[in-house]
Amino acid sequence: MSKHIIPHSYQISKEDRLESNKQNSFLMWFTGLSGSGKSTIANVVEQKLFQQGIKTYTLDGDNIRKGINNDLSFSPEDRTENIRRIAEVANLMVDAGLVVLAAFVSPYKKDRENIKSIVKDVNFVEIFINTSIEECERRDVKGLYKKARAGEIKNMTGISAPYEAPENPDIEIKTENESIEAAAQRIVDYITPKLSKLQ
C-alpha cells in the first residue's frame, strides 16, 4: 500500500513557519513513573514559555489515551504503539513550528529511541523525572498504585511491569530533592538557547 502513497509538495515549509513564529521548534519528552511529577513540571515549564510568547502545546497520557489512542491497552505491544503514535503527532507539531511538551511514562528504552528517530535527535530533549517508586506510591495521586497492589490493574509500571530508566537524559530532575519551580526553571534555562537557534 505504501508504494502508492506520494507526498504532496506544499509551498509553506517548516522554515517558513519557524520564521513566522520567531522561534525554533522541538520536542521535550518528560519520562518517569506514574506520580513522578511529569505533567506537573511540564505544566509549569509551559506556563513559563507561554509568558515569553513561545508557541507551545502539551501532550500527556490522559488527553491522548482518551482520544487518539483510546483503542489501546497497557500491554507491552500497545504501550509501544501508544508511544509511536504520540511521536508521530509530536513530529507534525514540531513541523508546524511549535515547542511540544510530552509527558508520558514511556517505560521502554527502545520506544524512546524510536521517538528520536521519528522527530530526529536534534529536535528531541529527553527529561527524566527521577522519583523513587516509594515516593510515587506514597503520593499515589490517581490511586493507581493502590489498585495495582490490589490486583485491579495489570501491567502497572514499577509494580508488575518494568521501567527502564534513561541512561543519559538531557536533563534529570530528582523531585525528592528539588522543588517544582526550581526544576521547571532549570529546564527552561537548558532549552532557552535552543529556542532561538534555527536548526
Side-chain angles (χ1 to χ4, degrees):
M1 184 67 184
S2 61
K3 68 181 180 181
H4 302 298
I5 298 174
I6 302 168
H8 188 81
S9 181
Y10 289 94
Q11 300 308 306
I12 304 299
S13 69
K14 175 184 176 183
E15 289 67 33
D16 293 329
R17 290 187 284 271
L18 296 180
E19 183 64 33
S20 175
N21 289 349
K22 296 180 171 52
Q23 68 179 55
N24 192 17
S25 63
F26 50 89
L27 169 62
M28 301 166 64
W29 192 274
F30 296 73
T31 178
L33 293 168
S34 178
S36 61
K38 301 180 300 298
S39 297
T40 301
I41 294 170
N43 185 31
V44 177
V45 170
E46 185 176 32
Q47 289 176 61
K48 289 177 177 291
L49 296 177
F50 188 80
Q51 288 162 7
Q52 295 178 33
I54 304 300
K55 294 173 175 61
T56 62
Y57 194 84
T58 296
L59 300 167
D60 92 353
D62 292 335
N63 65 29
I64 289 290
R65 283 281 185 177
K66 287 181 178 177
I68 194 169
N69 288 349
N70 68 3
D71 59 327
L72 299 178
S73 72
F74 287 90
S75 70
E77 298 78 18
D78 278 6
R79 282 178 180 269
T80 290
E81 176 61 11
N82 181 53
I83 297 304
R84 187 197 68 78
R85 290 185 196 176
I86 294 159
E88 293 289 358
V89 169
N91 193 42
L92 293 173
M93 291 182 158
V94 169
D95 192 57
L98 301 177
V99 171
V100 184
L101 301 88
F104 295 90
V105 174
S106 45
Y108 304 123
K109 289 179 187 176
K110 66 177 175 59
D111 294 341
R112 296 193 301 267
E113 285 300 316
N114 190 44
I115 299 163
K116 285 186 195 178
S117 70
I118 291 171
V119 302
K120 301 186 182 69
D121 278 13
V122 72
N123 296 322
F124 184 77
V125 178
E126 185 175 52
I127 303 166
F128 177 27
I129 308 301
N130 187 357
T131 306
S132 69
I133 184 68
E134 293 79 13
E135 177 62 15
C136 291
E137 198 163 356
R138 187 189 66 75
R139 296 173 186 173
D140 205 8
V141 288
K142 299 176 184 176
L144 299 177
Y145 289 101
K146 185 178 180 181
K147 290 179 180 177
R149 292 290 187 194
E152 296 173 33
I153 296 178
K154 295 179 180 178
N155 297 315
M156 176 72 182
T157 302
I159 303 294
S160 53
Y163 179 78
E164 300 170 357
E167 293 172 1
N168 295 295
D170 296 296
I171 306 169
E172 182 174 357
I173 303 294
K174 296 186 176 181
T175 66
E176 289 152 277
N177 304 325
E178 190 170 7
S179 71
I180 292 168
E181 176 64 27
Q185 189 58 55
R186 188 151 66 87
I187 293 167
V188 170
D189 291 345
Y190 178 88
I191 60 135
T192 293
K194 200 171 178 67
L195 287 166
S196 58
K197 185 181 178 184
L198 299 184
Q199 304 293 338

